[in-house]
Amino acid sequence: MRRLTGTAAPAIALLLTMTACSDSGDDGDEGGDEPSLGSPTTSVASVNDKAEIKAAVAAYDRALVTINREKEVTPEFTAVATETWADRLLTTYDDNVFSKGLVMVGRWRTMVETVKVDGDTAEADVCIDGNKVYVVEDGESVGSGAQSQGRFPGSISLVRDSGGWKVDGADSTEGSC
């Protein structure tokens, strides 16, 4: 049995989560406390929105397991992610994991820290825990020496449709959480 050790496995995970549709512009706030005509309409999420978004992110984590198991977009995944994001994520998995004879085993745990809502879109700052996620050769199990995907900060973009909140992108950043 061949194991992926060293930096290969975490690098694949970071690549997968960086397939984002979020804005990568400078979010620094250098203005005062006074609103201006150019101020965004984004607001801190209501208690209900935050609870619904936390539930959507948890369902998304569970649905990622189905993509790794089936190697295709599953009904479980499309129930919690937009079609555009599902297609983009599957393409990334195909290009970087499945086509190399690899799979990810284990389940991501994403903790929502803060949520900003702007109408029917939201951005959640998250801590992505992949300490129990491993990249292994297809058909193999996690062996000794396998390296987990680690834990890192990121953000998840969501959109609200008639069925509730759906993930529409994910991004990771360097650092710890």
Side-chain angles (χ1 to χ4, degrees):
M1 168 181 14
R2 241 179 62 200
R3 291 181 293 262
L4 294 178
T5 58
T7 59
I12 290 171
L14 287 173
L15 176 65
L16 293 172
T17 59
M18 285 194 265
T19 317
C21 14
S22 63
D23 180 12
S24 59
D26 184 8
D27 293 330
D29 180 15
E30 299 180 41
D33 294 331
E34 300 288 320
S36 68
L37 292 176
S39 293
T41 58
T42 303
S43 63
V44 175
S46 71
V47 173
N48 286 341
D49 279 339
K50 189 167 184 179
E52 290 172 8
I53 288 168
K54 280 184 170 185
V57 170
Y60 175 79
D61 283 348
R62 289 187 302 273
L64 278 172
V65 173
T66 67
I67 284 185
N68 281 296
R69 183 182 60 233
E70 303 299 326
K71 298 182 182 113
E72 64 183 32
V73 174
T74 62
E76 293 92 344
F77 197 75
T78 57
V80 297
T82 63
E83 185 177 326
T84 302
W85 178 244
D87 291 343
R88 191 170 179 185
L89 186 66
L90 182 62
T91 297
T92 301
Y93 270 58
D94 280 340
D95 292 348
N96 298 288
V97 181
F98 304 145
S99 68
K100 295 176 176 18
L102 304 171
V103 293
M104 289 181 131
V105 296
R107 186 172 149 215
W108 295 98
R109 306 273 187 228
T110 305
M111 287 72 64
V112 175
E113 296 175 346
T114 61
V115 176
K116 293 179 184 130
V117 174
D118 185 5
D120 287 334
T121 63
E123 189 78 19
D125 292 323
V126 297
C127 180
I128 304 164
D129 185 353
N131 282 320
K132 294 185 179 180
V133 177
Y134 301 87
V135 177
V136 299
E137 288 188 29
D138 196 3
E140 298 291 332
S141 60
V142 177
S144 65
Q147 189 172 6
S148 76
Q149 299 304 294
R151 186 177 167 132
F152 43 90
S155 63
I156 294 183
S157 301
L158 300 103
V159 295
R160 182 176 13 216
D161 67 13
S162 60
W165 290 101
K166 287 189 170 190
V167 173
D168 193 39
D171 196 5
S172 66
T173 58
E174 290 190 31
S176 59
C177 55

